[in-house]
């Protein structure tokens, strides 16, 4: 089970840190990703991190502004979002991959957390 939290309302240029807490599983066995979906748009990939935390991947639209990290001892993955833009407004979801390597095959999804950036 995945639980995303940390969303909220922030002004453009501000920061937020999203958390994805996992329970009931060996968290390091699963690569984890963040996705987002804005109103009227399809869900899009934001960032991913391998089970060990050694490998990360980012969408071009957020590269240099967002950082994904994890602490397997705390069963948590974070998404630090800096220099937020209006177009970052969306519901953000975390998901667990089927393996510790990022394969893009996400099999477990958490509920979303709303991020709203005011311009």
């Amino acid at each position: 089970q995945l639980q995303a939290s940390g969303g909220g309302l922030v002004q453009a240029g501000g920061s937020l840190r999203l958390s994805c807490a996992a329970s009931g599983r060996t968290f390091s066995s699963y690569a984890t990703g963040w996705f987002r979906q804005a109103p009227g748009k399809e869900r899009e990939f934001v960032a991913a991190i391998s089970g060990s935390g050694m490998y990360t991947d980012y969408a071009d639209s957020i590269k240099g502004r967002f950082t994904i990290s994890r602490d397997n001892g705390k069963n948590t993955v974070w998404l630090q979002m800096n220099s937020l833009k209006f177009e970052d407004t969306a519901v953000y979801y975390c998901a667990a991959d089927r393996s510790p390597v990022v394969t893009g095959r996400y099999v477990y999804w958490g509920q979303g957390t709303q991020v709203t950036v005011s311009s």
Side-chain angles (χ1 to χ4, degrees), residues 47-81:
I49 188 167
S50 62
S52 67
M54 295 297 290
Y55 171 82
T56 58
D57 189 25
Y58 296 94
D60 288 342
S61 61
I62 58 86
K63 202 170 288 185
R65 299 189 295 122
F66 292 9
T67 303
I68 190 170
S69 61
R70 69 189 298 153
D71 184 335
N72 288 332
K74 296 181 178 179
N75 277 12
T76 303
V77 169
W78 295 279
L79 184 68
Q80 178 67 42
M81 306 187 295

Side-chain angles (χ1 to χ4, degrees), residues 22-119:
S23 61
R25 303 186 185 276
T26 306
F27 195 47
S28 60
S29 297
Y30 299 89
T32 306
W34 284 98
F35 294 78
R36 67 186 183 185
Q37 187 166 21
K41 295 186 178 181
E42 294 187 352
R43 185 175 62 197
E44 64 174 354
F45 169 77
V46 175
I49 188 167
S50 62
S52 67
M54 295 297 290
Y55 171 82
T56 58
D57 189 25
Y58 296 94
D60 288 342
S61 61
I62 58 86
K63 202 170 288 185
R65 299 189 295 122
F66 292 9
T67 303
I68 190 170
S69 61
R70 69 189 298 153
D71 184 335
N72 288 332
K74 296 181 178 179
N75 277 12
T76 303
V77 169
W78 295 279
L79 184 68
Q80 178 67 42
M81 306 187 295
N82 298 328
S83 302
L84 282 162
K85 304 177 181 179
F86 176 76
E87 51 264 39
D88 294 319
T89 296
V91 178
Y92 284 70
Y93 300 88
C94 61
D97 204 309
R98 61 185 296 171
S99 83
V101 176
V102 177
T103 67
R105 298 176 183 178
Y106 295 94
V107 293
Y108 305 108
W109 291 83
Q111 92 296 348
T113 185
Q114 176 71 46
V115 172
T116 303
V117 183
S118 61
S119 58

